Amino acid sequence: MKTLLYTLILLFSYSNSFSQEQWLDVNYANDGNEYHNMDIYLPDNGEATHKAIVIIYGSAWFANNLKGMAYQMMGKPLLENGFAVISINHRSSMDSAYPAQIHDVKAAIRYIRANADLYTIDNSFIGITGFSSGGHLASLAGVTNNLSEYTVADTTMNLVGNLGNFTSISSSVDAVVDWFGPVDLANMDNNCTEYKDAKSPEAAIIKGNPADHPGAIALLSPVTFVDETDPPFLVIHGDADNVVPHCQSELFSGLLNKVGILTDFITVEGGGHGPVTFNENTFTAMVEFFLTESK
């Protein structure tokens, strides 16, 4: 996983020179923890305010400070097209069990909305994107808009949390781009039909063997929450991904399409878990999707 991340950084490294202003290590939870920091970048386009995109790194939920890498990977095309880019850290599975990670994402969104004037953000539109486990968290943020407590089987979780100073502010998002995120954690084998074992990343984040905790795994899975009230989605996945099976996005896109919220599902021929899947065409598709949805 580390080799993949470092390779992608080298392939898609972007300069901070594309932003007119930036605020680094802004703590969105008011607790001083590094894993609750985010970076805010504004485009140099002369506009008084900027619609915003939150970006989330992938790490199989094992990392708690890769916001700089996420910006390098995905920030340039968004910034060049007039969006404010907010790259966030979140707690890893080693720091806290789920749902801490989605609590962090939603606290960051609340902070952005509450402080929009300070950072010249137009919070009438906040999009969200991420890759791998970041795609999972971006998708989860979208499909749980306006949800708080949710129960599956004998397991109940609060999906919003009370992190930070702005708990009365909305944590909703307006559009989602999911880059090869795991979305059905009960079916993470190569054929998307079975649980993975107790050594899997999803086991680490729920602190137990997935097969023994079906309720927790369902509440970790974006597929559980899909309905027609969710924001529009763009899904992108390479058909040669050997980390998150391509069938994850096939299943997810089918559900999204069924309720009328799928804008497009892009399969990248020969695309792996990042390499080849990240390319000029897919970045352009992401930007055009957000531009269209933010009008």
Side-chain angles (χ1 to χ4, degrees), residues 11-33:
L11 287 172
F12 297 98
S13 179
Y14 297 133
S15 166
N16 287 352
S17 64
F18 291 98
S19 73
Q20 180 183 31
E21 290 187 87
Q22 60 186 36
W23 293 266
L24 305 181
D25 293 325
V26 176
N27 191 271
Y28 59 82
N30 194 34
D31 62 6
N33 289 315

Side-chain angles (χ1 to χ4, degrees), residues 39-164:
D39 298 337
I40 302 170
Y41 303 88
L42 298 185
D44 185 8
N45 62 359
E47 297 294 330
T49 60
H50 312 87
K51 293 175 182 179
I53 309 296
V54 175
I55 58 177
I56 311 176
Y57 55 79
S59 69
W61 310 288
F62 286 130
N64 64 12
N65 184 21
L66 288 179
K67 59 183 171 59
M69 180 268 282
Y71 171 70
Q72 290 173 328
M73 293 284 297
M74 310 178 80
K76 176 188 172 183
L78 295 166
L79 207 61
E80 286 184 323
N81 283 276
F83 290 104
V85 175
I86 300 103
S87 188
I88 69 171
N89 283 340
H90 61 77
R91 280 171 285 183
S92 72
S93 57
M94 302 297 99
D95 297 314
S96 299
Y98 180 76
Q101 294 72 28
I102 193 61
H103 289 176
D104 292 350
V105 173
K106 296 199 172 203
I109 295 165
R110 292 194 297 267
Y111 181 95
I112 294 163
R113 289 192 185 281
N115 294 279
D117 290 345
L118 175 63
Y119 300 109
T120 65
I121 289 171
D122 174 1
N123 65 13
S124 68
F125 180 87
I126 296 179
I128 192 166
T129 186
F131 61 92
S132 193
S133 62
H136 161 267
L137 289 173
S139 296
L140 195 61
V143 297
T144 59
N145 273 358
N146 306 313
L147 291 181
S148 52
E149 277 198 347
Y150 204 90
T151 300
V152 176
D154 60 350
T155 305
T156 299
M157 289 184 182
N158 183 310
L159 301 169
V160 178
N162 58 3
L163 188 67

Side-chain angles (χ1 to χ4, degrees), residues 166-200:
F166 306 104
T167 54
S168 64
I169 302 295
S170 170
S171 58
S172 65
V173 294
D174 299 295
V176 183
V177 178
D178 166 26
W179 296 81
F180 48 89
V183 290
D184 184 353
L185 283 304
N187 294 288
M188 276 295 290
D189 68 310
N190 288 338
N191 297 315
C192 295
T193 58
E194 296 180 358
Y195 291 103
K196 295 293 282 291
D197 62 24
K199 297 180 180 179
S200 62

Side-chain angles (χ1 to χ4, degrees), residues 231-276:
F233 272 74
L234 169 64
V235 179
I236 304 171
H237 207 139
D239 65 6
D241 193 328
N242 63 355
V243 179
V244 176
H246 180 259
C247 51
Q248 285 280 303
S249 289
E250 289 181 315
L251 294 169
F252 192 38
S253 295
L255 289 174
L256 298 171
N257 189 55
K258 186 176 181 179
V259 298
I261 60 171
L262 179 69
T263 296
D264 199 6
F265 171 35
I266 299 173
T267 293
V268 180
E269 185 175 355
H273 197 66
V276 181

